[in-house]
Amino acid sequence: MGEFCLFSDNCSGAPCVATKMYKYSGITDFVEDHRHKSGLKTYCLPDTIGGCLTRDSDPEHRFSVNDERCINCMACVMGCPGNKISINNSIHPLEFCQEMNEEEFSMFKDTVATELLNGSFIKLPPVQAGRLKVPYRRFEDFTKVKETENIALWTAIAMKYLSKSTSPRIALEVGIQKNHADRDGRLDVSLLNTEDGYLFVAETKVSFEKMMQEGRYESQMRSYEIGLQSIDNYGFNRTKFLVVGGQESDLLHSSMPCSTSGGNSDLFYNVLRENNLFYASANGLLALALKKMFISAERYSLESIYDHITCGKYFGLLSCGFITKDLRIEPY
């Protein structure tokens, strides 16, 4: 699986397929790396998607992409430690254990990557399944259902890739005490970069519509802020943000072109403004990851956008760019 991969003889544990994380009972345990006795747990996103990857009979490549089930989420590409999965200009993985040649890399960089976070939404191809019954026809269909199994796990993979740390600590459902009145909560995705001193916490939502129907995101983010204050003495730069799946045009304010959310977006943006909250669409994180792969690992990372999340000048990140407080799309 390439000179950087240690899993050539055990492809079932390869990071392009398997994501391994420890469980932590509480946020202090996470910061101090006091792991739960249940040990290391392995998650397999391709199984969740439903057979998007298959074992290849070719011992040199190990895996092949099932085009009739691949939703182009790039989880396998982000998981490959040697960047040895080639991608075509439709943002679709092609071959495993195969680096893109210089011409292919330059073409993707110049024609696809430069357009990401640059004013227009990412265009991911739908599954070409014909009459075949598949669980998901596109990436947005995957992120808008089954929060814990789908968008939370995918977000963990994306955040791990997007961190500048060579070995970030990543976990799902870390316990946190919200306040004395409420029962304890769980942080959907937590990432700690101990090398540079950053803690990122993501609260995942399957879609804008479902998030607004539930109406819990504001109280959750407020209470999580209270709980996170308990680890401020460790001195990490910390931030929390929403990660929202489904159709990202729903996340645009109703006054902005291409918005599909109606009046609910006005309420959402009022809540964001009043509580100084930040959101990212799943597509926005995917675009950021592709920019990191092809443009600059230094500029396009979680740590590099920390100031954007915390400075108070931006509402969120979509695949078209940052949404400013005066409701403009700012390319990045």
Side-chain angles (χ1 to χ4, degrees):
M1 296 186 69
E3 59 182 312
F4 299 102
C5 187
L6 304 177
F7 296 86
S8 58
D9 296 324
N10 180 24
C11 51
S12 61
C16 56
V17 175
T19 304
K20 299 181 180 182
M21 290 180 276
Y22 287 100
K23 181 178 177 60
Y24 295 89
S25 297
I27 188 61
T28 302
D29 295 319
F30 179 68
V31 169
E32 296 183 351
D33 200 19
H34 295 158
R35 300 163 183 171
H36 192 272
K37 61 182 180 181
S38 58
L40 194 64
K41 183 174 180 179
T42 299
Y43 302 83
C44 184
L45 195 66
D47 287 348
T48 303
I49 294 171
C52 57
L53 300 180
T54 57
R55 294 283 181 88
D56 201 311
S57 57
D58 181 354
E60 183 178 340
H61 293 98
R62 307 294 176 183
F63 295 101
S64 60
V65 180
N66 185 344
D67 293 332
E68 294 183 332
R69 293 182 180 272
C70 174
I71 58 172
N72 308 297
C73 72
M74 298 293 119
C76 59
V77 180
M78 291 187 284
C80 178
N83 294 324
K84 286 183 172 287
I85 300 177
S86 59
I87 308 169
N88 66 17
N89 281 15
S90 296
I91 316 180
H92 179 71
L94 295 176
E95 290 188 81
F96 277 62
C97 320
Q98 178 70 48
E99 287 183 299
M100 299 173 73
N101 62 42
E102 186 174 341
E103 182 180 353
E104 292 169 334
F105 187 94
S106 296
M107 183 175 293
F108 189 99
K109 175 181 177 180
D110 295 339
T111 62
V112 180
T114 54
E115 295 301 315
L116 300 172
L117 305 178
N118 198 26
S120 58
F121 289 135
I122 189 172
K123 296 179 177 63
L124 296 171
V127 173
Q128 301 298 321
R131 295 184 179 181
L132 181 69
K133 185 177 181 180
V134 295
Y136 310 105
R137 291 278 175 174
R138 57 181 67 243
F139 178 55
E140 292 85 352
D141 294 339
F142 170 77
T143 59
K144 73 179 183 182
V145 296
K146 299 180 181 178
E147 179 184 328
T148 304
E149 297 113 349
N150 290 9
I151 189 172
L153 178 54
W154 181 88
T155 298
I157 295 169
M159 287 174 60
K160 181 179 180 181
Y161 175 76
L162 283 167
S163 176
K164 287 183 179 179
S165 172
T166 55
S167 55
R169 188 175 305 153
I170 186 84
L172 299 174
E173 298 189 315
V174 173
I176 189 167
Q177 184 175 346
K178 295 191 291 186
N179 57 52
H180 296 298
D182 294 337
R183 61 185 177 87
D184 290 351
R186 294 193 178 277
L187 305 173
D188 290 335
V189 186
S190 302
L191 180 140
L192 181 63
N193 174 351
T194 58
E195 301 160 36
D196 302 307
Y198 286 92
L199 173 67
F200 295 91
V201 171
E203 172 68 20
T204 56
K205 300 295 181 184
V206 294
S207 69
F208 176 79
E209 180 182 12
K210 188 68 178 295
M211 176 177 68
M212 298 304 291
Q213 286 175 351
E214 291 178 345
R216 298 171 57 232
Y217 69 96
E218 180 181 5
S219 61
Q220 284 176 316
M221 297 298 275
R222 281 179 173 177
S223 60
Y224 292 158
E225 175 59 28
I226 295 172
L228 288 168
Q229 289 172 5
S230 67
I231 49 98
D232 279 347
N233 58 305
Y234 291 90
F236 293 114
N237 297 301
R238 66 166 178 85
T239 189
K240 63 189 187 307
F241 55 97
L242 296 161
V243 176
V244 187
Q247 186 169 324
E248 65 175 338
S249 58
D250 287 349
L251 288 162
L252 290 171
H253 190 270
S254 63
S255 65
M256 303 178 74
C258 302
S259 174
T260 53
S261 59
N264 269 341
S265 69
D266 297 357
L267 172 61
F268 177 58
Y269 276 82
N270 285 339
V271 170
L272 294 177
R273 193 183 298 276
E274 290 170 4
N275 295 277
N276 199 26
L277 300 179
F278 187 91
Y279 69 81
S281 67
N283 284 19
L285 292 182
L286 178 54
L288 190 68
L290 289 167
K291 295 281 272 196
K292 179 180 179 180
M293 288 178 203
F294 289 92
I295 304 295
S296 169
E298 179 67 26
R299 176 170 169 77
Y300 300 100
S301 67
L302 283 179
E303 291 81 3
S304 69
I305 67 167
Y306 174 83
D307 287 343
H308 288 75
I309 299 173
T310 59
C311 70
K313 297 179 181 178
Y314 302 95
F315 283 122
L317 173 69
L318 300 177
S319 66
C320 56
F322 285 100
I323 307 302
T324 67
K325 283 293 176 73
D326 57 355
L327 300 177
R328 293 181 297 105
I329 296 173
E330 183 177 297
Y332 182 61

